[in-house]
Amino acid sequence: DQQVKQNSPSLSVQEGRISILNCDYTNSMFDYFLWYKKYPAEGPTFLISISSIKDKNEDGRFTVFLNKSAKHLSLHIVPSQPGDSAVYFCAAKNTNAGKSTFGDGTTLTVKP
Amino acid sequence: DSGVTQTPKHLITATGQRVTLRCSPRSGDLSVYWYQQSLDQGLQFLIQYYNGEERAKGNILERFSAQQFPDLHSELNLSSLELGDSALYFCASSGGGTYNEQFFGPGTRLTVL
């Protein structure tokens, strides 16, 4: 049973446009959510997070939205840049349990 | 540079063999996590240690084991290797806080022939 799902394996957008990456979860005990970015031949790096007490968190070009009732979160990147091309992993955590559960990732390609 | 180091970077071995992967966490981080990523799939959580003790366990095979030493470095031991164990193995570390993100090492690519 996959508790964190990223249903789009890939996404291609034009430079300057908005990129929207989606993530769904099933475990209602998850109360903290994170996005990581991964370049080839490197480990994932933390991008942005959101607690379940919020519905939006913004950091520069990156905004994460959380819809608890739908058990859905999304990452918006505006404007998208070619350097944003990477694999993006969504992760969810029950802060009482400690470990994070990762989705399978979405490969974002930003075309110049 | 995340501050997490993993050795070796690449490892090629044969079926039935045993290997040890090593991870040094960021300075001050007490938690170490191990993940397996096979063929562009997601990150499968294997196991977490906190200050030397096992904290959480994922879908880790019985042929795999791990430990965290007093100096906080961790080793992941994989034995009786099979072709399907070929994967990238990532180590991550984090501080003790509830909301701390994980910092990942560059990974060890294991190839079983």
Side-chain angles (χ1 to χ4, degrees), chain A:
Chain A
D1 175 31
Q2 194 166 11
Q3 298 186 56
V4 178
K5 291 184 182 179
Q6 295 177 253
N7 290 317
S8 298
S10 62
L11 175 68
S12 180
V13 300
Q14 208 65 36
E15 180 179 7
R17 307 294 291 268
I18 184 171
S19 296
I20 300 176
L21 296 99
N22 294 303
C23 178
D24 297 293
Y25 63 96
T26 58
N27 189 337
S28 57
M29 298 300 292
F30 289 145
D31 58 358
Y32 193 60
F33 305 88
L34 309 96
W35 285 92
Y36 289 83
K37 179 167 76 172
K38 183 183 180 304
Y39 292 119
E42 295 182 11
T45 56
F46 170 73
L47 193 55
I48 192 169
S49 63
I50 188 167
S51 166
S52 61
I53 62 173
K54 293 185 174 182
D55 54 17
K56 176 182 174 181
N57 188 27
E58 196 170 349
D59 183 2
R61 296 186 297 113
F62 302 91
T63 303
V64 56
F65 295 92
L66 175 62
N67 182 333
K68 279 188 298 183
S69 61
K71 294 191 177 67
H72 176 85
L73 64 155
S74 60
L75 174 68
H76 293 212
I77 307 174
V78 183
S80 301
Q81 299 173 353
D84 296 329
S85 297
V87 178
Y88 289 79
F89 289 100
C90 166
K93 184 177 178 181
N94 173 356
T95 52
N96 290 323
K99 72 178 184 74
S100 295
T101 301
F102 283 78
D104 285 346
T106 295
T107 300
L108 173 66
T109 302
V110 180
K111 297 180 179 178

